[in-house]
Amino acid sequence: MKEKNQPQEKLWNSNYLKVWVANFMIFFSFMLLTPLLPLYLKETFDANKQMIGIVLSGYTLTALIIRPFSGFFVDSFPRKKVLLIFYGLFCVFFGGYLMAGSLLLFAIVRTLHGAPFGATTVSNSTVAIDVLHPTRRAEGIGYYGLSNNIASAIAPALAIYILHLTNSYELLFWLSLITSGIGFAINSTLKLNDRELIKDKPKISLDRFFLLKGWSEGAAMICYSFSYGVLATYVAIYGKEELGITGGTGFFFMLLSIGLILSRLIGSRTLRQGKIVQNASVGICISLCGYLLFAALHNPIGYYGAALVIGLGNGHMWPAFQTMFINLAPHTQRGTANSSVLISWDIGVGLGILAGGVISENVGYHWAFWTAWIVNLVGVIAFFAYVRQSFLKNKLR
């Protein structure tokens, strides 16, 4: 009885609250633009589907390239300084969209912008894990993701409303610049304790850039994010061209985010109880059903219903997989573990954007979405056949 009455360590401490809000600002500024960029490229530069895929995948490519190094940086240097440098660069690049007057210039700016985005998300989430008490860490990772989800629920709907009201993409670029700047200002007030830095590892070591023990978890994550990359990038154009849904993309992302939020609130409790593998198992199965619904039903029910179901699945899956990576790594490799799960996600999203553009241009959207489901199914089979047993065997805590 005594243990039950002992007060829990505080979850929402001031530093955690700051990085939570700063992460909200990262994804709010990001999601203001992301769902509408395919339309922007088509309307402004007359880009076709394949070209849109190539231009937008550049962002993911540079985010992917920087992830391993950003994990190394946050483990090897003072995290607040690293975070502020990357966050500041992330803000500045929004100004580049305002000056990009051609498709080539836009592609260059968009591609370069992926690097500070990739590094900032690694740095910010690693700091969030640092400032959580170990007994609240798995739960805190789940709640941290709510900042992404709430931003993803609000930003696309607001962006579409503003665009319909003003017909100005420039205004959206300005709003992204301002909101990301607010996040930078909030993070500048963080007060972090000194910590152990990596000093004794070999100069050249692959394990400093990717957590090798998590290779199978990473491979499965690539399959799940491939599906998301296809869906999230082409949902607006698909809805407009084939279903006649012109203003519903914001509602699609809102439903997706509602599902994410609900499942994270439920999943955080089970994560606190140590049910990491169970959360991941439930999440990937629910998401698989959502992608099947989207691919099979070519009507508003399939369109909007899939958003909610995929959100429910991904909300269980993502924090569970992130916790799995963290539990596979020693404390000195927390940044590397954190960047590894994001690297895996980026690879899948980038491949999904590219493949989705090629497939939809040549054989249509329906084949692109069926491909997304099939790849997702491969990831689910791999998880139950190998990944979960590998995690249980290799985890450190």
Side-chain angles (χ1 to χ4, degrees):
M1 283 294 291
K2 213 171 186 179
E3 285 186 9
K4 286 185 180 178
N5 292 330
Q6 284 180 351
Q8 282 189 316
E9 295 293 337
K10 190 174 181 181
L11 174 64
W12 294 95
N13 60 69
S14 61
N15 279 327
Y16 179 68
L17 187 58
K18 286 174 184 176
V19 293
W20 193 98
V21 174
N23 192 59
F24 172 87
M25 294 301 178
I26 293 170
F27 282 89
F28 185 86
S29 58
F30 176 71
M31 289 303 295
L32 270 175
L33 303 183
T34 300
L36 292 175
L37 284 180
L39 291 174
Y40 172 72
L41 294 176
K42 183 180 179 183
E43 293 173 7
T44 306
F45 303 115
D46 197 29
N48 62 29
K49 297 166 196 171
Q50 191 166 334
M51 182 55 66
I52 289 169
I54 292 170
V55 171
L56 297 183
S57 64
Y59 188 93
T60 307
L61 177 63
T62 49
L64 168 62
I65 291 170
I66 199 67
R67 295 280 199 205
F69 300 100
S70 52
F72 166 72
F73 289 142
V74 296
D75 282 339
S76 303
F77 302 100
R79 281 187 181 149
K80 182 177 177 180
K81 289 182 181 177
V82 172
L83 172 59
L84 291 179
I85 290 169
F86 288 140
Y87 208 132
L89 289 171
F90 173 70
C91 298
V92 167
F93 268 94
F94 282 111
Y97 299 127
L98 294 163
M99 297 182 284
S102 68
L103 183 61
L104 177 61
L105 280 175
F106 186 92
I108 292 170
V109 172
R110 183 68 179 169
T111 299
L112 292 176
H113 197 185
F117 172 78
T120 303
T121 48
V122 169
S123 305
N124 204 73
S125 57
T126 304
V127 169
I129 293 166
D130 277 348
V131 299
L132 285 164
H133 190 273
T135 61
R136 309 300 298 271
R137 188 164 289 145
E139 182 186 10
I141 289 171
Y143 283 121
Y144 178 81
L146 282 175
S147 56
N148 306 12
N149 306 148
I150 295 171
S152 298
I154 298 170
L158 179 62
I160 289 167
Y161 175 75
I162 291 171
L163 187 63
H164 278 271
L165 200 66
T166 64
N167 198 31
S168 173
Y169 288 101
E170 184 177 324
L171 178 59
L172 294 175
F173 296 147
W174 274 111
L175 285 173
S176 292
L177 178 61
I178 291 166
T179 52
S180 61
I182 293 170
F184 174 82
I186 291 169
N187 266 346
S188 67
T189 66
L190 284 169
K191 294 175 182 169
L192 305 180
N193 296 325
D194 293 334
R195 58 179 187 80
E196 180 185 355
L197 301 175
I198 294 178
K199 292 179 181 177
D200 57 347
K201 293 200 79 173
K203 287 186 179 179
I204 301 175
S205 170
L206 182 58
D207 206 39
R208 295 185 78 172
F209 303 103
F210 188 89
L211 191 69
L212 297 180
K213 284 203 302 185
W215 73 266
S216 63
E217 287 82 357
M221 180 66 85
I222 289 170
C223 295
Y224 312 141
S225 59
F226 177 95
S227 308
Y228 185 81
V230 174
L231 200 74
T233 304
Y234 299 102
V235 67
I237 292 182
Y238 165 70
K240 184 176 181 179
E241 292 186 357
E242 300 212 3
L243 301 181
I245 298 172
T246 55
T249 307
F251 188 54
F252 175 93
F253 281 99
M254 185 174 288
L255 286 172
L256 180 73
S257 298
I258 288 170
L260 286 162
I261 291 165
L262 289 174
S263 59
R264 281 186 186 267
L265 290 173
I266 297 166
S268 289
R269 289 197 291 271
T270 52
L271 281 174
R272 188 169 67 227
Q273 296 165 4
K275 298 178 179 178
I276 299 168
V277 173
Q278 294 94 318
N279 260 34
S281 302
V282 169
I284 61 176
C285 290
I286 293 174
S287 292
L288 182 67
C289 294
Y291 288 110
L292 177 61
L293 182 63
F294 194 91
L297 290 183
H298 311 136
N299 56 40
I301 294 174
Y303 188 86
Y304 292 119
L308 183 63
V309 175
I310 292 168
L312 287 168
N314 282 4
H316 276 290
M317 176 269 291
W318 176 263
F321 265 79
Q322 190 171 14
T323 305
M324 287 166 74
F325 271 88
I326 297 299
N327 287 357
L328 286 168
H331 296 303
T332 53
Q333 282 188 285
R334 193 173 291 157
T336 302
N338 211 29
S339 67
S340 296
V341 67
L342 293 168
I343 288 166
S344 305
W345 181 263
D346 287 342
I347 291 173
V349 169
L351 291 173
I353 292 171
L354 279 172
V358 172
I359 295 169
S360 60
E361 180 70 21
N362 291 285
V363 291
Y365 290 114
H366 300 313
W367 278 106
F369 298 134
W370 275 114
T371 302
W373 179 77
I374 291 168
V375 173
N376 200 278
L377 176 62
V378 170
V380 172
I381 293 170
F383 181 83
F384 287 107
Y386 180 81
V387 176
R388 62 178 181 174
Q389 291 90 344
S390 175
F391 168 71
L392 292 171
K393 180 182 176 182
N394 293 303
K395 66 176 183 174
L396 299 179
R397 48 192 172 275

